[in-house]
């Protein structure tokens, strides 16, 4: 595995972030760390009988700041899920962001007391936005990593 310089990278700045909305108005932005983020291809899924996509993100080097950022996003959303919404901005994808909701059981252990140790942390979100993905037989479903 070789390390590319910033001039060789497809996205030289990850610029991944969450945009937090309350009642349709932008409240704030929470940026991801600039290194060690793995974005997995969206996975089609049916949730509550409706077609949705699952978006998995792994923070390969989660540190105190990464953990704090994730907690802020989840706490904001869960404080009032009817009025609050989240948009996920992924480098190279929709600039305005993808409407997402937290998905899966990862939040349960994430908020148990204080997470001990740092390392890979995987989070998942669901979206009903129409994400443009290639047919499975045309796409290699390997993750890409921002380092």
């Amino acid at each position: 595995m070789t390390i590319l310089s910033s001039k060789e990278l497809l996205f030289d700045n990850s610029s991944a972030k969450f945009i937090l909305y309350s009642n349709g108005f932008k409240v704030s932005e929470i940026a991801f760390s600039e290194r060690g983020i793995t974005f997995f291809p969206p996975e089609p899924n049916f949730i509550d009988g409706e077609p949705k996509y699952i978006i998995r993100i792994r923070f390969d080097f989660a540190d105190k700041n990464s953990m704090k950022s994730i907690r802020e996003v989840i706490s904001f959303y869960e404080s009032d899920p009817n009025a609050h919404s989240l948009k996920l901005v992924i480098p190279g994808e929709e600039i305005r962001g993808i409407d997402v909701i937290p998905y899966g059981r990862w939040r349960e252990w994430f908020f148990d007391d204080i997470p001990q140790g740092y390392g890979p942390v995987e989070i998942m979100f669901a979206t009903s936005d129409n994400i443009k993905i290639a047919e499975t037989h045309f796409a290699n479903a390997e993750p890409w990593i921002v380092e």
Side-chain angles (χ1 to χ4, degrees):
M1 181 173 182
T2 61
I3 298 176
L4 303 176
S5 73
S6 62
K7 292 180 180 160
E8 296 174 296
L9 293 174
L10 182 59
F11 307 108
D12 58 354
N13 181 359
S14 71
S15 65
K17 62 187 170 187
F18 281 102
I19 305 173
L20 284 53
Y21 288 89
S22 181
N23 293 316
F25 295 99
K26 181 177 170 181
V27 174
S28 68
E29 294 182 2
I30 297 181
F32 288 25
S33 58
E34 293 184 14
R35 295 179 46 108
I37 302 172
T38 302
F39 296 90
F40 292 87
E43 302 169 12
N45 199 344
F46 280 87
I47 302 169
D48 298 329
E50 294 186 28
K52 295 195 187 261
Y53 291 94
I54 305 301
I55 299 172
R56 291 187 309 135
I57 304 167
R58 187 178 67 223
F59 292 84
D60 298 308
F61 311 110
D63 60 6
K64 180 178 173 182
N65 293 332
S66 298
M67 302 293 268
K68 182 180 174 201
S69 297
I70 297 167
R71 281 186 180 205
E72 285 179 34
V73 169
I74 299 307
S75 295
F76 173 80
Y77 178 79
E78 290 186 346
S79 67
D80 189 353
N82 294 320
H84 294 170
S85 61
L86 306 172
K87 283 193 179 266
L88 172 63
V89 178
I90 299 174
E93 298 295 331
E94 177 61 47
I95 296 171
R96 292 172 290 158
I98 302 165
D99 287 313
V100 295
I101 58 170
Y103 177 76
R105 298 179 56 106
W106 61 272
R107 292 167 290 163
E108 294 175 14
W109 66 261
F110 192 80
F111 283 96
D112 284 349
D113 204 7
I114 298 172
Q116 299 297 312
Y118 303 108
V121 173
E122 187 172 294
I123 61 178
M124 294 191 316
F125 292 86
T127 182
S128 55
D129 283 3
N130 188 13
I131 299 176
K132 296 175 185 156
I133 59 173
E135 294 292 327
T136 53
H137 59 277
F138 291 119
N140 185 359
E142 293 294 321
W144 53 273
I145 302 172
V146 177
E147 284 195 21

